[in-house]
Amino acid sequence: MDIEQAKQILGITEEDDGRTAKIKFRRLIGRYHPDVAGTDSKELQELSQKINAAYSLLKNEEFFLTKAVRKDIWKEKVNEFVFTARNVYAPYHMDIDSEGLYQKITHGKYMWDPDEEEFSLFLRSIYHAARDLLDAVEAECNVTGNTDTLRISSQERLFHCLAMQFVEPADCLPKIAEPDKVDKENRKIYRFRAYVGEKQNLDIMRRIASLRANENIYPVALRTGRLMIADKSGGSLGHLSFAEDELYYCLYPFMSAHMAQVRLTVKMVQKNKGNYLRHAKAEIEFLIRLSKEADSYRNPDMNGRIEKILSDYRNQLRGAAYAGRL
């Protein structure tokens, strides 16, 4: 394999730098690695080996090792209607894999683009934006260092609303995954690997452990970014999880807007051996069929919800300060 072949395997173009090359590698290996795809077919093994080999070869190339250039104007789409601006981050050096090493590229109301920005760093930017908004409310109320459950609950809800503002699923999903097929009515059908698992609630563990391969399970509720699942008798199985976190923000909005149909099928059940059940996990095939209108879907305006979260937090801080608890 030579350099040009390696670039072709990873889909690297002349415009790509080390940052975008690394994003493309992670997306490819995340899609085609046998452990993620849920199959150890010879074709997938060979493909994942080629992807890893191409990445290993390109890591030593000059373009790959170059530190990302700071941009005063980020190329990505701006949405002036989002509630607040955010930082955009990139790994500090492309040859070092560390969650703690990153740099600020720019600041603004820039939408997330899977081809340009690593999702883990996007989430970090949203966390910082939510933190800064709550810090401003605390400063307004003359409160510092608040770490109680009120702060944690407010930040969780604020994080979810802000993340939805910066992710347009109709734009991002095609960049993350390819449809498994398209039906006769031109509706796209995607297939993903997911799972349900439990280590604490004994009733849920027992239900998961009793599932059988090829059995269908069912979505029952969508709560703040979590899809709650039940067995055929209606017993709770907890919430569905994906191997790739970005799928939550690219799939669940369609479901919330009633623009998707899903089918969940058990592929394999894992549980500890012995007399006492300590954990249980079931691998799930997640099929989702999007309506034809999904291509033009846009997330609803979250500014009202964000204002209410901040207003409630402000009022609760003032009430707690008045009562002498802060």
Side-chain angles (χ1 to χ4, degrees), residues 244-286:
E244 298 157 336
D245 290 340
E246 54 261 46
L247 291 177
Y248 297 107
Y249 292 99
C250 292
L251 297 177
Y252 289 175
F254 294 124
M255 300 173 63
S256 180
H258 306 290
M259 291 185 175
Q261 296 174 314
V262 301
R263 186 178 72 191
L264 309 177
T265 306
V266 177
K267 304 303 293 182
M268 183 175 64
V269 177
Q270 301 172 347
K271 56 185 176 181
N272 65 282
K273 296 180 180 179
N275 296 327
Y276 299 99
L277 190 61
R278 295 188 297 275
H279 63 82
K281 178 180 178 180
E283 294 185 10
I284 309 298
E285 180 185 72
F286 179 95

Side-chain angles (χ1 to χ4, degrees), residues 178-227:
E178 297 177 0
D180 190 60
K181 60 181 179 179
V182 178
D183 68 11
K184 296 179 180 179
E185 297 182 24
N186 203 34
R187 294 176 297 187
K188 297 174 183 177
I189 301 174
Y190 291 86
R191 185 191 309 267
F192 299 102
R193 188 185 182 195
Y195 63 90
V196 290
E198 182 59 46
K199 293 182 179 180
Q200 297 180 339
N201 188 304
L202 184 57
D203 289 336
I204 293 179
M205 277 191 282
R206 286 171 175 166
R207 294 189 194 107
I208 294 175
S210 66
L211 294 173
R212 296 293 179 264
N214 300 317
E215 178 180 348
N216 288 333
I217 56 177
Y218 305 93
V220 292
L222 191 56
R223 302 173 184 165
T224 317
R226 288 189 171 189
L227 182 63

Side-chain angles (χ1 to χ4, degrees), residues 31-49 193 267-268 283:
R31 183 184 302 173
Y32 295 115
H33 194 282
D35 289 344
V36 177
T39 175
D40 57 356
S41 70
K42 182 179 179 181
E43 292 78 8
L44 275 184
Q45 289 181 6
E46 291 177 350
L47 181 55
S48 63
Q49 288 171 1
R193 188 185 182 195
K267 304 303 293 182
M268 183 175 64
E283 294 185 10

Side-chain angles (χ1 to χ4, degrees), residues 123-135:
L123 292 183
R124 189 180 294 270
S125 80
I126 297 301
Y127 170 80
H128 288 164
R131 178 200 62 189
D132 292 346
L133 288 173
L134 293 178
D135 286 349

Side-chain angles (χ1 to χ4, degrees), residues 26 142 155 159 185 288:
R26 287 183 173 176
N142 294 317
Q155 184 151 334
F159 179 94
E185 297 182 24
I288 181 168

Side-chain angles (χ1 to χ4, degrees), residues 228-250:
M228 308 308 294
I229 305 298
D231 61 21
K232 60 185 178 182
S233 299
S236 174
L237 298 172
H239 65 273
L240 191 76
S241 297
F242 291 103
E244 298 157 336
D245 290 340
E246 54 261 46
L247 291 177
Y248 297 107
Y249 292 99
C250 292

Side-chain angles (χ1 to χ4, degrees), residues 65-129:
L65 299 176
T66 302
K67 186 171 73 172
V69 178
R70 184 187 178 104
K71 302 177 183 179
D72 293 327
I73 300 178
W74 189 241
K75 295 185 300 181
E76 303 315 310
K77 178 182 176 182
V78 172
N79 182 355
E80 294 293 350
F81 299 101
V82 299
F83 188 83
T84 187
R86 68 180 182 93
N87 295 331
V88 176
Y89 299 127
Y92 190 70
H93 282 295
M94 302 313 301
D95 58 336
I96 301 176
D97 284 317
S98 173
E99 292 297 325
L101 294 178
Y102 63 92
Q103 62 174 330
K104 177 182 172 181
I105 298 296
T106 189
H107 181 81
K109 296 183 176 182
Y110 298 103
M111 301 297 286
W112 178 60
D113 184 340
D115 288 339
E116 295 293 333
E117 187 179 1
E118 292 190 22
F119 190 69
S120 61
L121 292 180
F122 165 71
L123 292 183
R124 189 180 294 270
S125 80
I126 297 301
Y127 170 80
H128 288 164

